[in-house]
């Protein structure tokens, strides 16, 4: 049956809104899925129209991850919840050294949400998936009553495959290892907060939201035995490093002067009362490798556009207490502890 015979009129994507019938399982829902989601995400597996995607697994170890996205506002400088959902999921797969292959997506929509905004988010998500070389192969849509959601929430699953000989993991950091980051810290979190608070700066602060699997591919090609990879999202650099020290049973010593930070982000953090070490990133990664591999890994990172500002920022040390410490610009040391409480709610 053609779309024309099944639906009496096309979706009003200019002035229409989500209503409860779009989650009912009837014609309205079928039309929303077909004319919006399926049209934007089209690929051979999704086009079959099943409730699942069946595919032959590739050779190698498989990686699977799941994520949820509740960022507020939905649109922000440098991205939106749609592109962020793709980038965040692809990056979680990539932190295993894996090549991302497929995504799934679930949408929780609020009654009354403008279809024009939903289309804008879906188109952005589709573009981000195409640019990352992944397919959104299955999904789901639910609608909640007005006032019981906040526009759009997205949940995702990502699937990838790890090349032979690559096995980064949070428990593999060893004393003497070098700690690297791929670029400046805190850009995403400050972009979100600046938008929420309607702050204006001389230089625009944009989210760093990006898919990192291309950068990771170059890194593992240069240094297959990268010990650990992690993207410092919620809780930022500080919290992520504390996670790794507890997984590996080690400590870390950072050098504050070597941590890349944009001047405008530092100024915004000071204005907002934030510590940039705890501010979220969505297009940066942390890498830990053997000291003898550090320069080679740094060169591979800087050879990629998303690693142009990469730096070696510290060393893994023996420490039964598993502390992360930092040499300050003034010559002292301070503990860089876990994030306490919620510094930046709904950041991703």
């Amino acid at each position: 049956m053609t779309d024309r015979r099944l639906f009496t009129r096309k979706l009003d994507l200019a002035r229409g809104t989500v209503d409860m019938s779009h989650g009912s399982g009837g014609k309205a829902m079928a039309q929303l899925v077909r004319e919006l989601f399926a049209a934007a995400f089209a690929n051979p597996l999704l086009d079959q129209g099943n409730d699942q995607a069946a595919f032959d697994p590739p050779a190698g170890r498989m990686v699977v991850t799941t994520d949820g996205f509740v960022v507020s506002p939905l649109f922000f400088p440098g991205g939106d919840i749609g592109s962020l959902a793709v980038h965040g999921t692809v990056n979680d797969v990539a932190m295993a050294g894996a090549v991302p292959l497929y995504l799934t997506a679930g949408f929780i929509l609020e009654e009354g949400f403008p279809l024009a905004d939903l289309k804008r988010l879906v188109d952005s998500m589709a573009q981000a998936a195409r640019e990352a070389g992944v397919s959104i192969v299955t999904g789901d849509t639910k609608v909640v009553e007005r006032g019981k959601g906040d526009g759009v929430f997205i949940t995702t699953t990502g699937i990838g495959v790890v090349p032979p000989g690559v096995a980064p993991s949070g428990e593999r950091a060893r004393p003497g290892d070098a700690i690297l980051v791929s670029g400046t810290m805190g850009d995403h979190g400050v972009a979100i907060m600046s938008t929420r608070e309607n702050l204006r700066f001389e230089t625009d602060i944009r989210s760093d939201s990006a898919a990192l699997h291309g950068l990771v591919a170059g890194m593992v090609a240069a240094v297959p035995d990268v010990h650990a990879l992690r993207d410092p999202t919620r809780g930022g650099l500080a919290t992520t490093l504390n996670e790794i020290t507890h997984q590996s049973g080690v400590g870390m010593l950072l050098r504050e002067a070597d941590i890349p930070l944009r001047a405008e982000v530092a100024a915004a953090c000071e204005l907002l009362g934030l510590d940039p070490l705890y501010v979220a990133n969505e297009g940066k990664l942390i890498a830990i490798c053997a000291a003898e591999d550090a320069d080679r890994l740094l060169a591979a990172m800087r050879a990629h556009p998303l690693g142009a500002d990469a730096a070696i920022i510290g060393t893994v040390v023996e420490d039964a207490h598993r502390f992360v410490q930092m040499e300050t610009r003034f010559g002292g040391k301070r503990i860089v502890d876990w994030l306490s409480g919620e510094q930046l709610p709904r950041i991703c």
Side-chain angles (χ1 to χ4, degrees), residues 129-182:
R130 286 192 297 270
E131 291 174 350
V134 297
S135 297
I136 300 172
V137 296
T138 190
D140 189 40
T141 305
K142 296 291 192 300
V143 178
V144 298
E145 298 90 340
R146 191 187 304 267
K148 294 188 176 180
D150 196 4
V152 178
F153 297 149
I154 301 175
T155 61
T156 57
T157 297
I159 297 171
V161 62
V162 184
V166 175
S169 182
E171 76 272 6
R172 292 192 60 210
R174 296 293 179 264
D177 283 355
I179 306 166
L180 299 86
V181 295
S182 63

Side-chain angles (χ1 to χ4, degrees), residues 16-31:
T17 60
V18 173
D19 62 46
M20 296 304 296
S21 69
H22 288 131
S24 68
K27 280 188 178 182
M29 179 174 170
Q31 184 176 24

Side-chain angles (χ1 to χ4, degrees), residues 13 16 74-75 113-122 152:
L13 295 175
L74 297 175
F75 301 94
F113 188 71
L115 289 177
D117 286 346
L118 181 59
K119 184 178 189 306
R120 182 179 167 193
L121 291 173
V122 169
V152 178

Side-chain angles (χ1 to χ4, degrees), residues 233-279:
T233 54
R234 285 172 296 172
L237 176 67
T239 297
T240 306
L241 291 179
N242 273 280
E243 291 173 354
I244 296 173
T245 61
H246 279 71
Q247 282 182 268
S248 292
V250 297
M252 293 182 180
L253 182 59
L254 310 179
R255 296 179 295 273
E256 184 178 23
D258 293 337
I259 299 174
L261 186 65
R262 299 185 194 281
E264 57 268 31
V265 170
C269 285
E270 185 174 354
L271 178 65
L272 295 167
L274 304 175
D275 184 336
L277 296 185
Y278 295 91
V279 176

Side-chain angles (χ1 to χ4, degrees), residues 163 171 179 186 202 223 239 248 316 342 348:
E171 76 272 6
I179 306 166
E202 290 184 2
V223 181
T239 297
S248 292
V316 179
E342 182 63 82
C348 60

Side-chain angles (χ1 to χ4, degrees), residues 182-299:
S182 63
T184 55
M185 295 287 103
D187 297 359
H188 174 73
V190 170
I192 297 295
M193 288 302 295
S194 299
T195 304
R196 282 185 198 165
E197 302 298 329
N198 198 29
L199 299 177
R200 295 291 183 267
F201 300 96
E202 290 184 2
T203 303
D204 287 340
I205 299 175
R206 299 175 63 81
S207 169
D208 59 352
S209 181
L212 296 171
H213 59 299
L215 171 62
V216 170
M219 293 168 62
V220 298
V223 181
D225 191 27
V226 176
H227 292 176
L229 292 169
R230 194 69 61 85
D231 54 335
T233 54
R234 285 172 296 172
L237 176 67
T239 297
T240 306
L241 291 179
N242 273 280
E243 291 173 354
I244 296 173
T245 61
H246 279 71
Q247 282 182 268
S248 292
V250 297
M252 293 182 180
L253 182 59
L254 310 179
R255 296 179 295 273
E256 184 178 23
D258 293 337
I259 299 174
L261 186 65
R262 299 185 194 281
E264 57 268 31
V265 170
C269 285
E270 185 174 354
L271 178 65
L272 295 167
L274 304 175
D275 184 336
L277 296 185
Y278 295 91
V279 176
N281 311 271
E282 288 291 348
K284 302 298 191 317
L285 62 79
I286 299 165
I288 297 175
C289 69
E292 59 268 25
D293 293 331
D295 288 339
R296 185 155 32 102
L297 186 60
L298 180 63

